[in-house]
Amino acid sequence: MKINNQFYQLIRPDLKIIYKYLINMGAYPEDAEDIIQDTVIKFWENMDRIEPRKVKAWLFKVAINNYYTLRRKRKNVLQVKDALREQLCTESEPLLSTDRTELMIQVKDIYSQMSDSEKTLLILKYHHDLSYKEIAAFLNTTEETVKTSLSRARKSFKKLWEGDKSAG
């Protein structure tokens, strides 16, 4: 099946964001590429049934579900060192300072303790710098819901962060 180039150019920016999101969630780059490819194929097969205003949300949902399916099949969550290795491979800086590396490990550890929905919101907002409106489009919800949920996710992160600091 050959995907129309014009069609692909329309969804490509969304696919780039989804790819980066998958990497931040702990997917290996090869797995993220495969998930994106599967998502495009599923979209191509179902695009006549998807409302144009819901395309972003549909792409995001299918990709995320594919990631969770892959994760379940492997029956193990990526360890922090694997997630860190993948993060380092995507960094543009040749070397990271020890402090930054430790901070990344702590953030990944806190993310692992959070719900997937909270983690999703924080990654989209703070790792990808998406606006509330863009996040709402990806998640097929309202900006108000995003603001409220993101506020709760920040509080959850802060509570876990402060708990981690007091334990160390």
Side-chain angles (χ1 to χ4, degrees):
M1 160 189 334
K2 186 170 180 163
I3 304 292
N4 179 318
N5 191 38
Q6 188 177 28
F7 150 80
Y8 180 72
Q9 292 304 320
L10 289 172
I11 63 170
R12 187 173 181 201
D14 299 329
L15 296 175
K16 283 183 175 183
I17 291 170
I18 294 168
Y19 174 83
K20 289 177 183 177
Y21 172 80
L22 291 168
I23 296 297
N24 281 324
M25 288 292 288
Y28 290 107
E30 309 84 43
D31 291 338
E33 290 170 10
D34 289 344
I35 290 168
I36 293 297
Q37 188 174 25
D38 290 344
T39 301
V40 169
I41 291 168
K42 285 181 185 176
F43 178 72
W44 183 254
E45 293 170 346
N46 294 289
M47 70 181 201
D48 58 329
R49 294 180 233 154
I50 304 166
E51 292 179 43
R53 65 183 179 84
K54 295 185 178 182
V55 168
K56 282 183 184 185
W58 191 93
L59 291 168
F60 187 77
K61 187 108 172 149
V62 169
I64 298 309
N65 286 340
N66 285 345
Y67 170 69
Y68 291 143
T69 299
L70 176 66
R71 199 170 72 175
R72 273 192 303 274
K73 282 181 185 175
R74 290 187 177 159
K75 293 187 180 173
N76 67 348
V77 177
L78 294 172
Q79 296 178 356
V80 171
K81 67 178 185 170
D82 290 333
L84 177 60
R85 182 180 63 80
E86 292 305 320
Q87 185 69 30
L88 292 173
C89 289
T90 62
E91 289 288 332
S92 58
E93 300 170 21
L95 294 173
L96 295 174
S97 70
T98 304
D99 290 343
R100 182 162 177 196
T101 302
E102 287 179 20
L103 179 64
M104 289 171 60
I105 291 170
Q106 291 171 343
V107 169
K108 293 274 185 188
D109 182 51
I110 290 173
Y111 279 168
S112 72
Q113 299 173 55
M114 298 179 77
S115 72
D116 288 334
S117 61
E118 290 175 329
K119 187 173 12 178
T120 296
L121 287 166
L122 293 173
I123 289 172
L124 290 174
K125 181 67 177 165
Y126 298 106
H127 292 265
H128 299 294
D129 297 321
L130 296 183
S131 68
Y132 294 121
K133 185 176 184 175
E134 290 168 321
I135 295 170
F138 266 109
L139 301 178
N140 194 28
T141 189
T142 65
E143 285 183 61
E144 275 307 309
T145 300
V146 169
K147 288 177 185 177
T148 301
S149 299
L150 194 53
S151 174
R152 290 179 184 144
R154 281 191 297 263
K155 286 177 185 171
S156 176
F157 183 94
K158 183 178 178 186
K159 183 178 177 184
L160 290 167
W161 179 264
E162 289 171 349
D164 184 57
K165 294 296 179 196
S166 65

